[in-house]
Amino acid sequence: MASTAQAHSLIPADDPRIQYSGRVDCSNPQSPRFDWSGVSLRLRLKGPSLGLLLEDRQNRFDVWVDGKPQTVLAADGRKGPYVLEDLGSGEHQIQLTRRTEASWGVTTFRGLSLPPGSELLAPPAPPTRRVEFIGDSWVCGYGNEAVSTHCDDLLPYENANRAFPLVAARELKAEVHLVCYSGRGVVRNYGDPQRRSEEPFPALYDRLLCAEPQSRWNPAYWQPDAVVIHLGTNDFSTEPHPDPQDFKDSSIALLAHLRAQYPQASLFWFCATGWPNYYSAVETAVKARNAAGDPKVYCVGYPPAPADQMGCDFHPNVRVHQKLATLLARALRQKLGW
């Protein structure tokens, strides 16, 4: 991965042959911005190399070529192109996926640069199935590529592309949006000395860019078939726990808000059946929505992760994420007929 001074032809970021997935701010179509985990772009290329015009201080991106991991692009503040080389002269499918979460800053994409001999082709057909995942560090893939629970630096080890949401989406052949932030809960964020935090996860959910509270996501732009929620661990993993009634009411309110955003989607709350013990509280909220006339709301449990399969700060590693993805994909297939 290197920059080059060779003259390239510029393909603007709003070229219809570039396919985006995730919450992307396109208010300036030629300079789209994004900061949520898992945002990706896909394209088809004929030719041996490609330059990616990214403006980003430190985020990392998985680059897949023809369905296989090729390299990790580590942004370093340069405005020059990050070049993918030695691809071969034939046709290739390229996918760039943001590994790191919103706390690492905003990415601006300004298009592609193509050397002589490379040609951008019509994009691949997008998946017809759609799933949105919302939640905490597990959804973001926090520390999942680490081989130890102690990490001096999280940045190299966080990979949303290998977290259970995107792994499950590949199993289901679905397009996916991630809306996640480490440490947030339904009511109480991790380590908060109060029973209710000032800005838990629901305060972030409606943002187009997480870093900009005034930016608003328009749900009419993208309607999922299913929404998967992974929240509650941060509420209950440290003391003091939230007030039980407050957690129940806030969980019901979150489900009602998602239903208002996505009238036809099935809603799945994916949560641990062991420590921390909040499954019954989630189940109560789900049953309350069912009793209120919303039958397409479900609770899906998973067993505790093995102690020897933990990454940074005792978060699940990629082996656990693969198991979670398989379990969750099975549940979605059963309920959605996929």
Side-chain angles (χ1 to χ4, degrees):
M1 194 73 62
S3 62
T4 179
Q6 181 183 4
H8 285 51
S9 58
L10 177 64
I11 305 295
D14 61 349
D15 190 293
R17 293 171 293 179
I18 302 172
Q19 202 174 78
Y20 297 92
S21 181
R23 293 190 178 185
V24 180
D25 176 12
C26 294
S27 54
N28 182 347
Q30 295 195 350
S31 298
R33 301 184 304 146
F34 53 90
D35 61 1
W36 293 109
S37 303
V39 171
S40 65
L41 61 89
R42 295 196 306 163
L43 54 92
R44 287 176 62 237
L45 175 77
K46 183 177 181 181
S49 70
L50 167 72
L52 297 159
L53 299 172
L54 290 174
E55 291 185 13
D56 191 300
R57 185 167 58 89
Q58 61 186 341
N59 281 288
R60 300 198 175 195
F61 305 82
D62 266 6
V63 179
W64 285 30
V65 177
D66 299 327
K68 297 179 180 179
Q70 174 89 356
T71 189
V72 175
L73 188 160
D76 57 13
R78 287 184 288 123
K79 291 187 178 181
Y82 295 84
V83 179
L84 306 180
E85 299 178 300
D86 301 323
L87 301 176
S89 59
E91 294 185 10
H92 306 286
Q93 291 201 22
I94 312 293
Q95 180 162 323
L96 179 80
T97 303
R98 177 163 158 152
R99 294 162 52 105
T100 40
E101 63 184 285
S103 57
W104 298 101
V106 175
T107 301
T108 302
F109 179 63
R110 298 194 183 276
L112 309 171
S113 56
L114 300 184
S118 289
E119 177 187 1
L120 195 61
L121 305 174
T128 58
R129 299 168 177 172
R130 294 176 170 183
V131 184
E132 179 178 85
F133 289 84
I134 71 174
D136 51 25
S137 55
W138 290 41
V139 178
C140 296
Y142 182 107
N144 60 349
E145 290 193 334
V147 296
S148 168
T149 58
H150 177 72
C151 302
D152 292 327
D153 182 7
L154 172 65
L155 193 61
Y157 304 112
E158 181 173 75
N159 188 357
N161 207 27
R162 298 183 72 186
F164 74 85
L166 268 70
V167 177
R170 287 191 286 272
E171 290 190 22
L172 295 167
K173 295 181 172 56
E175 181 184 2
V176 63
H177 285 198
L178 301 188
V179 188
C180 57
Y181 202 98
S182 292
R184 301 300 172 109
V186 178
V187 171
R188 178 181 171 273
N189 299 333
Y190 178 83
D192 194 321
Q194 305 299 319
R195 299 185 80 182
R196 168 170 275 276
S197 297
E198 290 186 7
E199 193 176 71
F201 179 82
L204 309 180
Y205 174 73
D206 291 317
R207 298 179 187 179
L208 178 57
L209 291 171
C210 183
E212 299 182 6
Q214 73 279 10
S215 67
R216 310 306 288 175
W217 166 247
N218 181 3
Y221 173 76
W222 192 84
Q223 288 280 313
D225 301 295
V227 179
V228 178
I229 307 154
H230 188 275
L231 288 167
T233 300
N234 291 311
D235 295 84
F236 290 96
S237 59
T238 57
E239 297 282 355
H241 293 166
D243 176 78
Q245 189 64 44
D246 190 11
F247 183 82
K248 175 186 173 182
D249 292 344
S250 297
S251 298
I252 292 172
L254 176 60
L255 290 168
H257 181 62
L258 292 170
R259 172 58 65 227
Q261 300 282 90
Y262 306 125
Q264 303 303 318
S266 295
L267 310 181
F268 298 83
W269 203 307
F270 192 46
C271 56
T273 55
W275 182 90
N277 185 15
Y278 64 95
Y279 182 88
S280 60
V282 168
E283 190 176 40
T284 298
V286 168
K287 288 180 178 178
R289 283 298 302 169
N290 295 155
D294 192 353
K296 293 167 60 175
V297 184
Y298 311 99
C299 199
V300 179
Y302 60 81
D308 62 346
Q309 295 180 23
M310 292 293 181
C312 299
D313 301 323
F314 297 93
H315 285 73
N317 67 15
V318 292
R319 291 174 61 191
V320 177
H321 278 278
Q322 177 63 63
K323 295 173 185 176
L324 293 174
T326 299
L327 187 158
L328 182 60
R330 184 184 307 122
L332 266 64
R333 285 192 186 100
Q334 290 173 348
K335 296 297 184 183
L336 301 174
W338 289 355

